[in-house]
Amino acid sequence: MAVTDSHLKDTLTPALPGVGRVLVMAGKFSQKLAEEAHRKAQTAGRPYIAELIESGAVSASELAHTLAHAFSAPLIDVDALDPQRLPTDLIDVKLSLKYRLLALSKRGGRLIVVTADPSDHEAAEKLKFVSQSGVEWVIGEYDKLARLVEKHGKTVADSMDSIVGKDFEFDEAALGSDIPAAEADDPQAEVDDAPVVKFLHKVLIDAINLGASDLHFEPYEHNYRVRFRVDGELQEIVSPPVAIKDKLASRIKVISRLDIAEKRIPQDGRMKLKVGPERVIDFRVSTLPTLFGEKIVIRILDPSSARMGIDALGYEPEEKARLMHAIERPYGMILVTGPTGSGKTVSLYTCLNLLNKPGVNIATAEDPSEINLPGVNQVNVNEKAGLTFAVALRAFLRQDPDIIMVGEIRDLETADIAIKAAQTGHLVLSTLHTNDAPTTLTRMRNMGIAPFNIASSVILITAQRLARRLCAKCKQPADIPHEALIDAGFAESAVDGSWTPYRPVGCNACNNGYKGRVGIYEVMPITEELQRIILADGSALEIAEQARSEGVRSLREAGLHKVQLGVTSLEEVLAVTNQ
């Protein structure tokens, strides 16, 4: 018959631990001996079970079998457990070490846990609170379990230390001051989370040093990975223990001023990192609830990218001349087009940086503002609050602006206000999501904008892509057949042997043969001939043909020119200008 605590309470000293009560009831030794062992354990500050076993009063094996029978719990051979396969995300390592527990699995609302003392109500209550689940005990021998718990806890801690490293210092104040008072006032909480804090800081610094544009923190059922987007490609950097996913998400949300308790809906925030005496980098944070936790993507917004200068973006001399001529005009609309991640924002801010002078009033509306540029009045669009692009534009026109930048023209209302601003003495810069420059005009026509308004307001359209730049240290000449070059788009006259294509190789200084990215541009000024085609409601094909006759390179032609210059490879150009 199973022994219960309620039955034991009627006959034994209330102060005696549950294990002692079971052993006395089972006739293993007397109540006096059990109470004496209890006093010794309290005096020495050690677990009661450890005192019983080390004093020789009962063996670990005998104790485990007795408890399994008394509590009607299954018995497990602890030596048969593989520490590498034990889950690390079900209970905290500190809780496991304190109570000598090992979580095996979670089924439904029940947590399966190995213990040597199923009578420990304190441990059971802690587990229920932490896991929000019921606890189902499995009995293991105390000495074997203690060794495995120590080994398992050390493995988890060592894996974290190897990721974090030991020589890392970070300016906590640079991340933001809106840390909740409960966390700030609890030094123990800060100490407990120190590995996670150090890990996050190191990952951010590593991402900056590698020139990454985005960081992805991705939780899965049995693993957790961190990936960086470097030169447009995602690379797995590290796979930390799954157990840190919730603490890491909470840490990121704290310093990004997000709601820690809200895990059901996506959230967006920002944070700052000081990486030098005069260099502060902004991060845009986005959370997304997934099946196994919150996926977090952090976009690195380096203000210095807007100050690189137009030459660093990869414009050819004739393309740069067309763009400079357009931004020096007092009014009109300049559009930058391309897919997400093609560098449109950096191009716009490079132009704004050139125009940013004391005598000029510049206002921008973005969703959200990615680069902080002193001297420019930047507004974050807030759809929920009613601050749309159109509302912001109307407000700008009452603020005596010279130059207006709209993050994106998404609808007819925004386009209509932007065009009117361009027609009434303002220089307007904006973006559209189209494949190339000629189709931008037909896209505006399809939005419902009259051909006359397009022809009289748009002065230049730039379509762009970003291609990976070949590593100067390891690139090698590529043997590409004549026919393949012709099929790619080269003219017969261009394939004359006067230049050499190169291919990526890979070395310690680069990423699979590439290092950095370069822009590929189709810069199309709106000339009088193009205005006539627009007014006649001409097609994108007619606009493209006229632009070619005026010397405008298509994206593919601009990319092939970069191949001729040895800047990038043919396969990279074919990939980013897939036509």
Side-chain angles (χ1 to χ4, degrees), residues 57 60 93 105 112 131 159 176-177 215 251 312 340 441 465 473 571:
V93 176
S105 64
I112 315 301
S131 65
S159 65
S177 58
L215 298 83
R251 179 64 183 169
T340 302
L441 296 169
R465 299 290 189 276
K473 292 185 177 181
E571 55 263 40

Side-chain angles (χ1 to χ4, degrees), residues 495-518:
V495 190
D496 55 5
S498 62
W499 57 276
T500 303
Y502 288 88
R503 63 180 178 86
V505 177
C507 65
N508 293 332
C510 67
N511 177 33
N512 297 324
Y514 296 98
K515 188 173 179 62
R517 289 192 287 180
V518 64

Side-chain angles (χ1 to χ4, degrees), residues 290-349:
T290 65
L291 284 177
F292 304 104
E294 288 182 287
K295 176 183 176 180
I296 298 177
V297 175
I298 300 178
R299 167 69 58 88
I300 299 176
L301 311 172
D302 190 353
S304 62
S305 61
R307 302 185 182 93
M308 292 187 302
I310 198 165
D311 293 323
L313 299 182
Y315 284 94
E316 296 301 319
E318 63 271 25
E319 296 167 348
K320 176 186 173 183
R322 292 177 193 144
L323 181 60
M324 293 301 294
H325 177 69
I327 67 174
E328 288 169 358
R329 293 177 61 171
Y331 58 87
M333 178 181 286
I334 297 172
L335 295 172
V336 180
T337 74
T340 302
S342 60
K344 300 188 297 295
T345 301
V346 171
S347 293
L348 284 174
Y349 268 94

Side-chain angles (χ1 to χ4, degrees), residues 12 48 70 82 84 110 157 177 283 305 487 489 509 513 529 549:
L12 300 176
Y48 182 60
D82 183 356
Q84 300 298 324
R110 307 292 293 176
S177 58
F283 298 87
S305 61
D487 289 343
E529 287 300 321
S549 70

Side-chain angles (χ1 to χ4, degrees), residues 265-294:
I265 60 174
Q267 297 187 67
D268 294 299
R270 296 176 75 101
M271 61 186 184
K272 288 179 181 289
L273 177 65
K274 188 175 183 180
V275 295
E278 297 180 357
R279 189 184 181 196
V280 176
I281 293 179
D282 287 311
F283 298 87
R284 190 177 72 197
V285 179
S286 173
T287 71
L288 180 70
T290 65
L291 284 177
F292 304 104
E294 288 182 287

Side-chain angles (χ1 to χ4, degrees), residues 213-431:
S213 60
D214 301 86
L215 298 83
H216 293 240
F217 298 85
E218 302 170 314
Y220 298 98
E221 186 173 8
H222 300 299
N223 68 300
Y224 187 59
R225 70 178 178 181
V226 178
R227 294 193 291 173
F228 293 173
R229 188 176 293 279
V230 181
D231 295 337
E233 288 198 343
L234 280 171
Q235 307 171 9
E236 184 169 339
I237 300 300
V238 69
S239 182
V242 179
I244 76 165
K245 65 180 182 181
D246 291 330
K247 283 189 175 182
L248 189 57
S250 295
R251 179 64 183 169
I252 294 172
K253 288 162 79 173
V254 164
I255 57 182
S256 305
R257 304 173 177 89
L258 301 179
D259 185 355
I260 301 177
E262 183 55 77
K263 299 180 180 181
R264 299 165 299 174
I265 60 174
Q267 297 187 67
D268 294 299
R270 296 176 75 101
M271 61 186 184
K272 288 179 181 289
L273 177 65
K274 188 175 183 180
V275 295
E278 297 180 357
R279 189 184 181 196
V280 176
I281 293 179
D282 287 311
F283 298 87
R284 190 177 72 197
V285 179
S286 173
T287 71
L288 180 70
T290 65
L291 284 177
F292 304 104
E294 288 182 287
K295 176 183 176 180
I296 298 177
V297 175
I298 300 178
R299 167 69 58 88
I300 299 176
L301 311 172
D302 190 353
S304 62
S305 61
R307 302 185 182 93
M308 292 187 302
I310 198 165
D311 293 323
L313 299 182
Y315 284 94
E316 296 301 319
E318 63 271 25
E319 296 167 348
K320 176 186 173 183
R322 292 177 193 144
L323 181 60
M324 293 301 294
H325 177 69
I327 67 174
E328 288 169 358
R329 293 177 61 171
Y331 58 87
M333 178 181 286
I334 297 172
L335 295 172
V336 180
T337 74
T340 302
S342 60
K344 300 188 297 295
T345 301
V346 171
S347 293
L348 284 174
Y349 268 94
T350 300
C351 293
L352 288 180
N353 198 45
L354 294 171
L355 296 167
N356 188 15
K357 298 174 183 177
V360 178
N361 179 21
I362 303 176
T364 73
E366 299 165 84
D367 185 20
S369 297
E370 294 192 359
I371 298 174
N372 180 25
L373 196 59
V376 174
N377 306 292
Q378 297 171 278
V379 174
N380 275 334
V381 168
N382 188 338
E383 299 277 353
K384 291 182 180 178
L387 181 56
T388 61
F389 280 116
V391 170
L393 273 175
R394 287 195 188 94
F396 288 168
L397 294 176
R398 295 190 291 271
Q399 292 274 319
D400 185 30
D402 297 298
I403 299 165
I404 296 171
M405 196 268 272
V406 186
E408 182 184 350
I409 293 178
R410 297 176 178 172
D411 50 51
L412 177 58
E413 184 182 14
T414 304
D416 189 48
I417 300 170
I419 283 175
K420 287 177 180 175
Q423 292 172 335
T424 54
H426 306 92
L427 183 64
V428 179
L429 291 79
S430 189
T431 69

